[in-house]
Amino acid sequence: MNTPILTIDERHNIEAGAWFSSLSPTLRAAILARATVRRLADGAPLAARGTPAEDWVGVAKGAVRVSSVSLSGKQVSLTYVEPGTWFGDIALFDGLPRTHDASAHGATTLLVVRKGDFKELLAQHVELYDALLRLNCRRLRLMFNLIEDLNTKPLAARLAKQLLLLAKSYGIAQGEEIRIGLQLAQEDLAQLLGASRQRVNQELKELERDGVLRVEPTRLVVLSREKLMAVTDR
């Protein structure tokens, strides 16, 4: 197969990903050789809960919104998969259906490895087993941390921690400010935190009054990363 055609920025996002960049050059080349490029418009579906898993996916641009449906039928955002991150391997390992819905958030570019190619990569590169084991251990640790924060930290601290993560994944430095490039409505941010939009709005206004961030119509801008980090310890 030919190496997938990505823009320079998209290729950089993939190669600079913490997990992918830790792989050997041989394995990285083998993955890219078996991947195809898929470009999705904002809101385009990628996977549906309960459907068979057919792809292993790396995000090269944009974001993938992972969501679920509440008892009332409302779509609830659980996380956003950022550029440089690979996902979908769990369902390919255990053979069970997808556990959540996934769709593009903004114009999104993906690298897609089909199930058969994924299995062949595992058979030909033992290194991939170890690498995915480490990746899933990290996911598990993050999940435990999230559960701990939800049960022990006040909303202000959880919000500050989420904003730091968004700034790290989607931050665009502008002098001393960091503009969060991912466009999120306050309702989306509230869903990530397991809180109401009204409470999150109050906390954002408090951070704005304290000179920690600036709330713009479509973006959040971190004015002081140090002040934001201090809020996580409250």
Side-chain angles (χ1 to χ4, degrees), residues 202-221:
Q202 292 172 0
E203 295 295 344
L204 288 173
K205 288 181 177 178
E206 184 69 24
L207 292 174
E208 194 167 28
R209 282 193 295 268
D210 292 342
V212 179
L213 59 79
R214 182 172 67 251
V215 180
E216 296 184 352
T218 60
R219 294 288 190 275
L220 294 174
V221 181

Side-chain angles (χ1 to χ4, degrees), residues 80-146:
Y80 292 84
V81 185
E82 71 271 15
T85 301
W86 291 76
F87 68 98
D89 47 283
I90 292 177
L92 293 179
F93 272 124
D94 64 20
L96 297 177
R98 296 293 190 194
T99 56
H100 298 90
D101 298 323
S103 59
H105 186 79
T108 300
T109 302
L110 307 172
L111 282 184
V112 179
V113 178
R114 299 293 292 171
K115 181 178 180 179
D117 289 318
F118 177 76
K119 295 292 187 181
E120 287 188 12
L121 284 168
L122 288 173
Q124 296 171 7
H125 301 271
V126 176
E127 176 193 352
L128 184 56
Y129 273 106
D130 291 336
L132 288 172
L133 178 60
R134 293 194 304 272
L135 179 61
N136 283 298
C137 287
R138 180 176 181 275
R139 289 169 177 160
L140 189 59
R141 289 177 183 273
L142 290 173
M143 184 184 70
F144 283 144
N145 287 337
L146 180 62

Side-chain angles (χ1 to χ4, degrees), residues 12-26:
H12 171 75
N13 288 338
I14 289 293
E15 293 183 343
W19 178 80
F20 190 79
S21 63
S22 71
L23 305 178
S24 68
T26 300

Side-chain angles (χ1 to χ4, degrees), residues 7-223:
T7 67
I8 293 175
D9 288 342
E10 290 168 349
R11 181 70 178 243
H12 171 75
N13 288 338
I14 289 293
E15 293 183 343
W19 178 80
F20 190 79
S21 63
S22 71
L23 305 178
S24 68
T26 300
L27 179 53
R28 294 200 302 268
I31 292 171
L32 292 176
R34 291 180 178 273
T36 58
V37 176
R38 184 183 301 174
R39 289 188 166 86
L40 301 176
D42 181 35
L46 175 62
R49 183 172 187 165
T51 58
E54 298 294 341
D55 302 314
W56 181 44
V57 180
V59 182
K61 173 189 172 184
V64 173
R65 176 179 182 247
V66 179
S67 60
S68 183
V69 179
S70 68
L71 292 176
S72 64
K74 180 181 180 182
Q75 201 79 12
V76 178
S77 301
L78 301 176
T79 190
Y80 292 84
V81 185
E82 71 271 15
T85 301
W86 291 76
F87 68 98
D89 47 283
I90 292 177
L92 293 179
F93 272 124
D94 64 20
L96 297 177
R98 296 293 190 194
T99 56
H100 298 90
D101 298 323
S103 59
H105 186 79
T108 300
T109 302
L110 307 172
L111 282 184
V112 179
V113 178
R114 299 293 292 171
K115 181 178 180 179
D117 289 318
F118 177 76
K119 295 292 187 181
E120 287 188 12
L121 284 168
L122 288 173
Q124 296 171 7
H125 301 271
V126 176
E127 176 193 352
L128 184 56
Y129 273 106
D130 291 336
L132 288 172
L133 178 60
R134 293 194 304 272
L135 179 61
N136 283 298
C137 287
R138 180 176 181 275
R139 289 169 177 160
L140 189 59
R141 289 177 183 273
L142 290 173
M143 184 184 70
F144 283 144
N145 287 337
L146 180 62
I147 294 172
E148 181 180 3
D149 288 348
L150 190 61
N151 286 278
T152 62
K153 288 184 176 292
L155 179 57
R158 301 200 325 266
L159 173 59
K161 191 171 183 179
Q162 182 65 63
L163 292 175
L164 284 170
L165 290 173
L166 291 172
K168 180 181 179 181
S169 299
Y170 300 98
I172 303 169
Q174 297 178 330
E176 295 184 357
E177 300 180 352
I178 303 174
R179 179 179 297 273
I180 296 176
L182 185 68
Q183 184 173 346
L184 290 180
Q186 289 189 13
E187 177 64 27
D188 295 323
L189 189 56
Q191 290 173 6
L192 292 178
L193 295 165
S196 69
R197 185 194 64 77
Q198 291 80 6
R199 288 192 62 204
V200 169
N201 179 262
Q202 292 172 0
E203 295 295 344
L204 288 173
K205 288 181 177 178
E206 184 69 24
L207 292 174
E208 194 167 28
R209 282 193 295 268
D210 292 342
V212 179
L213 59 79
R214 182 172 67 251
V215 180
E216 296 184 352
T218 60
R219 294 288 190 275
L220 294 174
V221 181
V222 177
L223 302 179

